[in-house]
Amino acid sequence: MKAIVIGGGIGGACAAIALKRFGIETAVYEAVKEIKPVGAAISIWPNGVKCLNYLGMKEPLRKLGGQMRFMAYKDYQQGQTMTRFSMDPLIQSVGEQPYPVARAELQSMLLDTYGRDEVQFGKRVTHVEESADSVTAWFDDGSSATGDVLIAADGTHSVIRQHVLGYATERRYAGYVNWNGLVEIDESIAPADQWTTFVGEGKRVSLMPVSDNRFYFFFDVPLPKGLQEDRATVRDDLQRYFAGWAEPVQKLISLINPDTTNRIEIHDIEPFMQLVKGRIALLGDSGHSTTPDIGQGGCAAMEDAVVLANVLQTNSLGIEDALLRYQEKRAYRVKDLVLKARKRCDVTHGKEMAVTEQWYEDLKTETGERILSGMCETILGGPLE
Ligand code: FAD
């Protein structure tokens, strides 16, 4: 069996690694010459970590991951702690810890694990064609690739999604802008072993440790789409949006490097249940684009990869049947993740300010139990125990 994987991001790379490990011949085609991830870092929750462990990356991942032992929410004006608790109960319940990692390093680890030289860069798919016994991808340089099965891991702007669904989907603006980057750890801003989040006014400022003494930081602000803001204006923009916020937030704004700070208008796509058509499977953001509010988009792509490789390797009723089993195992799970993230997004970002204010109040009495049990439920819904 030969698998064609379109896209070499988190989903495509994980799928290619998984298929190769199961002895399936793979070829990966990536549109760009050099992959530049859209964000600075990503939190890999234990369900994603288990998938990477399963795919043979346990040791390299540990070297990239930050040590996040505590979680805290802080009041935006005074910086007072609203709640702070250990993440150990979560780790004990699910059997693995979360790892925040720099995206460029994650991407490098994935490509090295698969075999960087085996990825064909600069190959942008324009369309796909299926016959009774094969599937072909056509690239914008006029070339093509044919295989038995095609994995469409071409991201949120997927061109293959429309072929699978038979209609075009629209990305939905979630109503807020996210700025993110990396900065050296400064414990006057937040403890080095803690996921710290300042909340107020429907906005948030968050810091997570990654390897090499760095914080992954992000700022979220509810804003209209299409504002004329970019890296040139980032410090002024953040100072304006976070005027009156506590000293650690001001310090963080003064320390960020505008040249490496990303500004992203956050979107998702209304979930759909069809993930496959014939010999083609959507995987990762092409099949389920989510807001990052529960940090599960990349983890879900890792889960997809593990499940897909399993059904292709263990099924004897043919490729189309195997893909239908993949769809059956994944469609409800990924829909649930997208909708959970959307709900969290609305509460966090003041869609109804009274609800958000109530959440701030609830945080003051939070012991960690409610938050961790919600996380546990999400994590344990993954394919690996
Ligand atoms: P992508 O990473 O987008 O990769 C798609 C690849 O396909 C790209 O390399 C692209 O160049 C290539 N491609 C596109 N079109 C074509 C084409 N026509 N032909 C060939 N190749 C093509 N997830 C988490 O798990 N935890 C987090 O903490 C987290 N935080 C996030 C924070 C932000 C601000 C954002 C925006 C997302 C976050 N996510 C997080 C989500 C995560 O980044 C995505 O879910 C993940 O990157 C999806 O991987 P993918 O491989 O499906 O898509």
Side-chain angles (χ1 to χ4, degrees), residues 55-110:
L55 296 178
M57 287 169 273
K58 191 167 185 165
E59 291 316 316
L61 177 62
R62 267 149 189 69
K63 293 197 182 108
L64 302 185
Q67 292 301 319
M68 194 164 68
R69 309 302 301 197
F70 295 90
M71 190 170 164
Y73 280 93
K74 293 188 168 250
D75 158 72
Y76 76 111
Q77 281 172 313
Q78 308 302 328
Q80 279 163 346
T81 301
M82 301 160 91
T83 179
R84 177 176 188 268
F85 47 88
S86 165
M87 297 193 88
D88 283 351
L90 172 80
I91 298 165
Q92 274 153 22
S93 296
V94 303
E96 188 45 279
Q97 71 178 85
Y99 285 112
V101 297
R103 269 185 196 256
E105 290 159 19
L106 170 66
Q107 186 67 41
S108 239
M109 178 187 79
L110 295 174

Side-chain angles (χ1 to χ4, degrees), residues 62-258:
R62 267 149 189 69
K63 293 197 182 108
L64 302 185
Q67 292 301 319
M68 194 164 68
R69 309 302 301 197
F70 295 90
M71 190 170 164
Y73 280 93
K74 293 188 168 250
D75 158 72
Y76 76 111
Q77 281 172 313
Q78 308 302 328
Q80 279 163 346
T81 301
M82 301 160 91
T83 179
R84 177 176 188 268
F85 47 88
S86 165
M87 297 193 88
D88 283 351
L90 172 80
I91 298 165
Q92 274 153 22
S93 296
V94 303
E96 188 45 279
Q97 71 178 85
Y99 285 112
V101 297
R103 269 185 196 256
E105 290 159 19
L106 170 66
Q107 186 67 41
S108 239
M109 178 187 79
L110 295 174
L111 290 182
D112 287 343
T113 303
Y114 176 65
R116 197 176 287 267
D117 297 343
E118 294 173 52
V119 177
Q120 302 203 38
F121 291 95
K123 290 281 185 185
R124 181 173 294 278
V125 165
T126 53
H127 64 286
V128 292
E129 278 172 7
E130 280 186 82
S131 70
D133 55 7
S134 70
V135 53
T136 299
W138 290 91
F139 303 105
D140 64 356
D141 60 4
S143 63
S144 67
T146 297
D148 300 298
V149 57
L150 184 144
I151 318 306
D154 53 343
T156 187
H157 300 283
S158 171
V159 296
I160 305 171
R161 183 166 54 227
Q162 184 163 353
H163 174 91
V164 169
L165 295 181
Y167 60 87
T169 47
E170 286 211 3
R171 295 175 80 230
R172 181 196 71 105
Y173 179 51
Y176 77 96
V177 172
N178 168 285
W179 289 261
N180 65 70
L182 296 168
V183 67
E184 196 177 321
I185 285 184
D186 177 334
E187 292 215 79
S188 69
I189 299 176
D193 59 353
Q194 180 170 291
W195 176 16
T196 308
T197 307
F198 296 82
V199 288
E201 304 177 319
K203 305 170 191 171
R204 65 176 170 165
V205 179
S206 212
L207 298 118
M208 279 183 179
V210 299
S211 66
D212 290 338
N213 200 40
R214 293 166 298 173
F215 275 137
Y216 163 44
F217 67 82
F218 60 86
F219 297 82
D220 287 354
V221 181
L223 285 172
K225 198 171 144 93
L227 293 182
Q228 294 298 307
E229 297 177 346
D230 57 21
R231 284 184 172 145
T233 63
V234 63
R235 207 187 301 278
D236 288 348
D237 295 336
L238 292 176
Q239 275 166 352
R240 197 169 64 254
Y241 295 133
F242 292 95
W245 281 53
E247 187 46 36
V249 174
Q250 305 306 329
K251 188 157 192 192
L252 175 62
I253 295 171
S254 74
L255 289 179
I256 64 168
N257 177 355

Side-chain angles (χ1 to χ4, degrees), residues 6-12 29-32 35 42-43 103 123-125 153-155 159 178 180 216 264 266 283-285 292 295-299:
I6 304 302
I10 296 174
Y29 298 91
E30 163 57 51
V32 298
I35 297 179
I42 174 171
S43 52
R103 269 185 196 256
K123 290 281 185 185
R124 181 173 294 278
V125 165
D154 53 343
V159 296
N178 168 285
N180 65 70
Y216 163 44
I264 303 170
I266 298 298
L283 182 145
D285 280 9
Q296 282 288 346
C299 297

